Amino acid sequence: MATFDILVLPGDGIGPEVVAEGVRALEVIGQKYEHVFRMEHDIVGGASIDAYGTALRDETLAKAKASDAVLFGAVGGPKWDIPTASVRPEQGLLALRSGLQLWANLRPVKAEPALLHASALKPEVLEGTDIVVIRELTSGIYFGKPQERRLVDGKREAVDTNYYNEEEVARVAHLGFKLARERKHKLTSIDKANVLATSRLWREIVVEVSKEYPDVSLEHVLVDAMTMHLIRRPRDFDVVIADNMFGDIITDEASMICGSMGMLASASIGTMKEDGTGLGMYEPIHGSAPDIAGKGIANPLAMLLSTAMLLRHSCGLETEAQAIESAVAAVIEEGHRTADIASPGEKTLGTREMADLVLAKIGG
Ligand code: IPM
Ligand code: MG
């Protein structure tokens, strides 16, 4: 019987509602497959600002470092959205990514056949789409210094700095090529090399790394062109690597391929151990969705799929991960829908009802 320490950080908005379902999924998996998930709860983001004046306490980060995985909901909301505030909920998320050295963010984008009609795009364009985007997560314009607002001659100005070094690019490239090897042997690297120095370095390093993977085909696509190709011919992509900012933007776009952001899971991982597992943070990409918070209508599937990724990447429990993924696919296939993925007139389920259906399939 294996034991895993999980730090649960629900955060703000719909975070707590969906995280509760991830926690239940771990309990069901624990019972069925005889594992112990020792779960500790803490607060982060706006909730932490309200209670402690900071988006992430040092002791919370220390607890995260000492655990096997972090199950994360979402942070942010209008209450804390003050442009001049020095403390912001998102700082909690960024400090976790950076503090835990989770430099790769895996975001799988798969078009479920039964959900093709939930997308704004044509079903025949989406059919067969199966992409994994790997977003660099601990460098680039999110973390480069200086990053500040200042007054110069009485006028407001602000600066962000985009920075990359070769190691930061190389490790993402290696991960991308290795993953492509297990899939369709195709890697697409996104950059803006016609304008940015960081992108020219990115491209140069990716080309150097590619020499070790002659069996994987590599293409470079400029990020602006990529936003177009993603909705015109999404099926053509396999593994996509991108820097922090571009990865953030194209994965929101890619989520529309799945019909809703409520379907997109993510795993943030760092340098893994010999056996391929290691500390990771798992979160749905949909964010805190303050407009529907507290209503019990949020789609729990992205959270459940993120929990599956936790089992796979941090616990090395592939069968258990697949149990969740198959249960989610089956529930979708049977026609059950939360509001975000329902067609007009279709019956919609709440967060708990939807999760109950998935958990019943796993537990059975
Ligand atoms: C994401 C989010 C975050 C990001 C925000 C909440 C800071 O958009 O995980 O994609 O920009 O990385
Ligand atoms: Mg984002």
Side-chain angles (χ1 to χ4, degrees):
M1 186 184 281
T3 300
F4 302 95
D5 288 315
I6 314 291
L7 180 65
V8 181
L9 298 175
D12 310 315
I14 59 170
E17 296 161 50
V18 294
V19 161
E21 307 308 334
V23 166
R24 288 171 70 218
L26 287 177
E27 285 163 0
V28 170
I29 290 284
Q31 260 164 26
K32 170 140 190 212
Y33 296 88
E34 303 192 341
H35 306 298
V36 177
F37 297 100
R38 281 199 301 239
M39 291 186 254
E40 192 177 337
H41 289 248
D42 204 343
I43 58 176
V44 69
S48 178
I49 292 176
D50 287 350
Y52 304 107
T54 172
L56 179 75
R57 288 180 301 155
D58 291 344
E59 58 188 273
T60 310
L61 178 61
K63 270 191 251 173
K65 280 184 183 161
S67 44
D68 293 303
V70 179
L71 196 61
F72 190 95
V75 289
K79 180 176 176 195
W80 306 281
D81 214 359
I82 306 151
T84 51
S86 58
V87 189
R88 301 178 55 80
E90 291 77 8
Q91 290 164 345
L93 178 57
L94 300 184
L96 279 161
R97 289 173 178 171
S98 167
L100 302 176
Q101 296 178 53
L102 306 175
W103 47 264
N105 184 217
L106 274 49
R107 299 185 164 184
V109 179
K110 204 167 175 178
E112 287 288 342
L115 278 186
L116 294 182
H117 291 276
S119 172
L121 303 177
K122 293 193 192 105
E124 60 267 32
V125 172
L126 301 175
E127 209 169 13
T129 299
D130 183 359
I131 307 172
V132 176
V133 180
I134 304 178
R135 168 188 175 192
E136 197 289 327
L137 204 58
T138 50
S139 188
I141 202 160
Y142 274 62
F143 293 96
K145 295 280 174 315
Q147 181 182 65
E148 63 193 21
R149 251 178 96 103
R150 56 200 179 203
L151 262 185
V152 176
D153 298 333
K155 289 192 197 302
R156 287 162 292 178
E157 59 176 46
V159 61
D160 292 291
T161 303
N162 199 3
Y163 168 92
Y164 271 104
N165 66 42
E166 56 180 283
E167 282 90 9
E168 290 167 344
V169 180
R171 60 192 180 187
V172 169
H174 279 290
L175 189 63
F177 280 111
K178 283 185 184 139
L179 185 60
R181 255 188 187 160
E182 294 167 18
R183 295 167 48 94
K184 288 177 267 168
H185 291 74
K186 181 169 179 192
L187 185 76
T188 305
S189 175
I190 306 306
D191 63 40
K192 185 72 185 170
N194 52 346
V195 178
L196 303 176
T198 42
S199 278
R200 286 190 286 274
L201 176 74
W202 179 280
R203 196 177 278 215
E204 188 178 319
I205 305 297
V206 171
V207 168
E208 283 170 21
V209 170
S210 73
K211 306 283 186 269
E212 294 178 44
Y213 306 87
D215 53 320
V216 176
S217 79
L218 168 67
E219 64 172 350
H220 306 279
V221 180
L222 296 173
V223 64
D224 46 352
M226 184 63 179
T227 59
M228 224 164 47
H229 299 320
L230 253 183
I231 54 171
R232 202 172 65 87
R233 48 179 186 88
R235 233 191 330 261
D236 285 357
F237 301 100
D238 178 15
V239 178
V240 175
I241 55 172
D243 79 6
N244 208 340
M245 179 94 251
F246 299 152
D248 179 46
I249 296 169
I250 64 165
T251 48
D252 268 26
E253 187 192 20
S255 73
M256 290 297 105
I257 290 168
C258 306
S260 160
M261 278 183 108
M263 296 298 301
L264 226 70
S266 90
S268 302
I269 59 172
T271 305
M272 299 306 232
K273 295 177 286 193
E274 283 275 290
D275 69 357
T277 69
L279 173 59
M281 182 160 76
Y282 302 85
E283 60 178 305
I285 82 147
H286 51 57
S288 59
D291 52 326
I292 57 163
K295 296 186 179 161
I297 58 169
N299 185 345
L301 298 182
M303 184 79 242
L304 293 173
L305 293 170
S306 302
T307 310
M309 294 184 91
L310 179 153
L311 295 169
R312 172 173 297 123
H313 296 286
S314 283
C315 308
L317 301 174
E318 180 61 32
T319 307
E320 291 80 342
Q322 282 179 20
I324 297 186
E325 289 164 351
S326 317
V328 168
V331 164
I332 290 292
E333 203 60 41
E334 285 168 8
H336 304 292
R337 301 286 181 266
T338 42
D340 59 315
I341 49 174
S343 301
E346 247 179 339
K347 176 176 183 258
T348 59
L349 302 177
T351 310
R352 181 51 50 101
E353 291 169 293
M354 186 61 144
D356 278 346
L357 292 173
V358 175
L359 299 188
K361 287 202 188 298
I362 303 169

